[in-house]
């Protein structure tokens, strides 16, 4: 990089239409029967009207308008995003497709109608509508963090340290017919203020995100910047301070600047946290999370999942242990009582670039001695660190805590498969081959969630 050598010069190339719509990315909406489509183009609303044409296969198409957002260099918080890393993002369009029939297949394509009536179309795609909350059907979810992007031709680039990202992307593409929704829980692109890399990332994941909902959580490399309201006073976002993540991708948050939200997907409820904002007791996010946990109907949505970027649960990475910690300060102390009270099944975290899975644990103690099959009373939460999406890997401490059941320094992701209301399969798969290397099942009935265990039910009074 310090002494570049000219190898060859290509013929002059150009785009047929440099403003054409590209990189559609789906997301689950605020209503169960809604899918949002977000894409990028060079057309402002003064030049062309953006919309989505869509419908059931064999049915008449509908057209739904899209809203348009963008941002300026002054929207960035600092360098390099505000200086040498700046690039005009074009325009970001989002359309919400309402009134979907559960589990039905739909086709769609994005378009822009010019003032002369001409329509510039994107490519055709398809998706499957979400199931009704509580509906029993086969439901498959992929979860990972810290993926980033890489050059397929092997050339070098800024922040070229996500060697596993293409393997993860390609393995998911190969199995896409067996995936219903993806959660990428923070550290999305590692653009770190070089904005063009967001387009590179959206191009890389287009085969996934154009076909299944691609949901995000906010990480330090998206949000953190001093004096910007982030919980950590560091410069990990390269001056982006959340603007790119909040604009380029849709999440069903009440305020997308606060990246926490609820997703009801069939038999699952997902409570997605934002570790780059205050989560401690009494905070706005803490109140949201408690409501998310408390309002789920576990008879119909038995699988309650919490996910966020930094480790608020348990980790034995060398980075935490060297500081005398097993997670973020105040993380588990604040949220573990909620996980126990509301019987959260699983938590997922990234930030540490590795895979680790705990036993069902409460207050540092395993509350179940099994390792591969859990049934009966739900008496503790299982925690998983799934930060091996693609970024250069981290190390574990030499000390193996009693609650740590499986540790692996490799690139991979987790897949959850809900077969019905009483059976869930957990698989840790490696990106290199898509094979499962750590698995367990949870089998239980509704009464097993209702049973009182330590700190899960209010104390009895004389009247009871």
């Amino acid at each position: 990089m310090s002494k570049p050598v000219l190898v060859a010069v290509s013929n002059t190339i150009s785009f047929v239409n440099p403003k054409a719509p590209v990189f559609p990315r789906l997301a689950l909406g605020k209503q169960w029967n809604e899918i949002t489509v977000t894409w990028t183009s060079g057309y402002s609303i003064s030049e062309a009207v953006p919309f989505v044409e869509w419908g059931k296969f064999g049915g008449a198409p509908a057209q739904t308008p899209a809203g348009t957002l963008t941002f300026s260099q002054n929207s960035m918080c600092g360098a390099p995003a505000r200086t040498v890393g700046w690039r005009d993002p074009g325009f970001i369009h989002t359309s919400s497709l309402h009134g979907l029939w559960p589990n039905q297949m739909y086709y769609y394509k994005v378009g822009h109608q010019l003032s002369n009536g001409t329509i510039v179309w994107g490519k055709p795609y398809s998706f499957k509508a979400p199931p009704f909350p509580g509906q029993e059907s086969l439901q498959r979810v992929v979860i990972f963090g810290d993926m980033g992007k890489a050059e397929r031709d092997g050339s070098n680039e800024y922040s070229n340290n996500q060697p596993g990202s293409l393997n993860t992307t390609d393995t998911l593409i190969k199995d896409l017919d067996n995936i219903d929704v993806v959660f990428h829980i923070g550290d999305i692109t590692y653009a770190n203020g070089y904005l063009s890399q967001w387009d590179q990332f959206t191009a890389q994941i287009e085969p996934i995100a154009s076909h299944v909902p691609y949901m995000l959580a906010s990480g330090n490399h998206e949000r953190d910047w001093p004096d910007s309201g982030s919980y950590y006073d560091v410069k990990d976002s390269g001056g982006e301070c959340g603007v790119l993540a909040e604009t380029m991708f849709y999440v069903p948050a009440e305020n997308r600047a606060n990246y926490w939200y609820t997703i009801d997907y069939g038999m699952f409820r997902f409570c997605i946290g934002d570790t780059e904002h205050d989560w401690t007791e009494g905070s706005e996010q803490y109140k949201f999370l408690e409501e998310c946990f408390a309002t789920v109907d576990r008879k119909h949505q038995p699988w309650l999942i919490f996910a966020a970027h930094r480790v608020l649960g348990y980790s034995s990475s060398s980075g935490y242990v060297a500081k005398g910690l097993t997670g973020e300060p105040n993380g588990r102390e604040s949220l573990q009582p909620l996980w126990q009270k509301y019987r959260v099944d699983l938590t997922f975290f990234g930030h540490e670039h590795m895979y680790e899975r705990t036993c069902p644990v409460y207050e540092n103690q395993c509350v179940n001695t099994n390792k591969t099959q859990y049934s009966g009373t739900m008496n503790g939460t299982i925690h998983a660190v799934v930060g091996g999406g693609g970024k250069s890997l981290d190390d574990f401490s030499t000390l193996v805590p009693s609650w740590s059941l499986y540790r692996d320094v490799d690139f991979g992701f987790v897949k959850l498969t809900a077969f019905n209301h009483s059976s869930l399969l957990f698989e840790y798969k490696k990106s290199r081959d898509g094979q499962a290397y750590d698995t367990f099942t949870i089998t239980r009935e509704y009464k097993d969630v209702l049973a009182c265990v330590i700190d899960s039910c209010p104390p009895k009074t004389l009247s009871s």
Side-chain angles (χ1 to χ4, degrees), residues 192-379:
N192 299 343
Y194 286 85
L195 274 57
S196 65
Q197 296 200 352
W198 280 86
D199 279 344
Q200 180 184 342
F201 176 80
T202 51
Q204 179 175 308
I205 66 164
E206 180 187 24
I208 304 169
S210 62
H211 188 64
V212 301
Y214 198 96
M215 310 304 299
L216 303 188
S218 180
N220 51 303
H221 285 280
E222 285 77 60
R223 182 60 183 85
D224 291 355
W225 192 259
D227 301 318
S228 70
S230 59
Y231 195 62
Y232 296 87
D233 194 33
V234 293
K235 295 185 175 182
D236 292 351
S237 76
E240 294 177 14
C241 56
V243 173
L244 273 293
E246 295 159 16
T247 309
M248 297 286 287
F249 285 80
Y250 176 85
V251 295
E254 291 303 316
N255 177 357
R256 283 158 70 180
N258 296 331
Y259 229 72
W260 54 76
Y261 58 93
T262 301
I263 288 292
D264 288 320
Y265 189 88
M267 296 176 286
F268 288 98
R269 168 164 286 189
F270 296 93
C271 300
I272 307 301
D274 180 353
T275 58
E276 311 318 301
H277 286 89
D278 189 2
W279 65 80
T280 57
E281 187 170 0
S283 67
E284 181 183 358
Q285 181 173 190
Y286 182 94
K287 295 173 184 176
F288 159 79
L289 291 173
E290 180 159 27
E291 182 179 11
C292 186
F293 299 147
T295 55
V296 61
D297 177 0
R298 297 299 288 276
K299 182 178 181 181
H300 297 104
Q301 291 177 281
W303 312 118
L304 180 56
I305 313 295
F306 172 75
H309 179 62
R310 293 175 185 258
V311 181
L312 304 183
Y314 292 79
S315 168
S316 62
S317 74
S318 59
Y320 280 125
V321 173
K323 301 174 185 177
L325 302 169
T326 53
E328 293 294 319
N330 301 316
R332 195 163 67 243
E333 293 82 352
S334 294
L335 296 178
Q336 187 168 238
L338 295 184
W339 300 331
Q340 185 74 356
K341 178 179 179 180
Y342 297 107
R343 303 166 182 83
V344 173
D345 293 293
L346 297 160
T347 72
F348 291 94
F349 307 100
H351 197 57
E352 298 300 306
H353 308 148
M354 55 185 56
Y355 169 74
E356 185 170 21
R357 189 254 297 187
T358 76
C359 60
V361 61
Y362 182 58
E363 296 288 5
N364 291 297
Q365 301 296 317
C366 291
V367 294
N368 191 316
T369 58
N370 292 324
K371 295 184 178 181
T372 60
Q373 204 284 325
Y374 303 100
S375 60
T377 302
M378 190 277 166
N379 53 4

Side-chain angles (χ1 to χ4, degrees), residues 354-422:
M354 55 185 56
Y355 169 74
E356 185 170 21
R357 189 254 297 187
T358 76
C359 60
V361 61
Y362 182 58
E363 296 288 5
N364 291 297
Q365 301 296 317
C366 291
V367 294
N368 191 316
T369 58
N370 292 324
K371 295 184 178 181
T372 60
Q373 204 284 325
Y374 303 100
S375 60
T377 302
M378 190 277 166
N379 53 4
T381 299
I382 298 171
H383 303 265
V385 176
V386 290
K391 183 71 160 65
S392 53
L393 296 166
D394 294 327
D395 297 318
F396 284 107
S397 68
T398 55
L399 176 67
V400 183
S402 60
W403 40 257
S404 182
L405 295 189
Y406 194 103
R407 309 197 305 180
D408 188 43
V409 179
D410 206 347
F411 302 110
F413 54 90
V414 161
K415 184 177 181 180
L416 301 177
T417 303
F419 298 101
N420 49 49
H421 288 86
S422 59

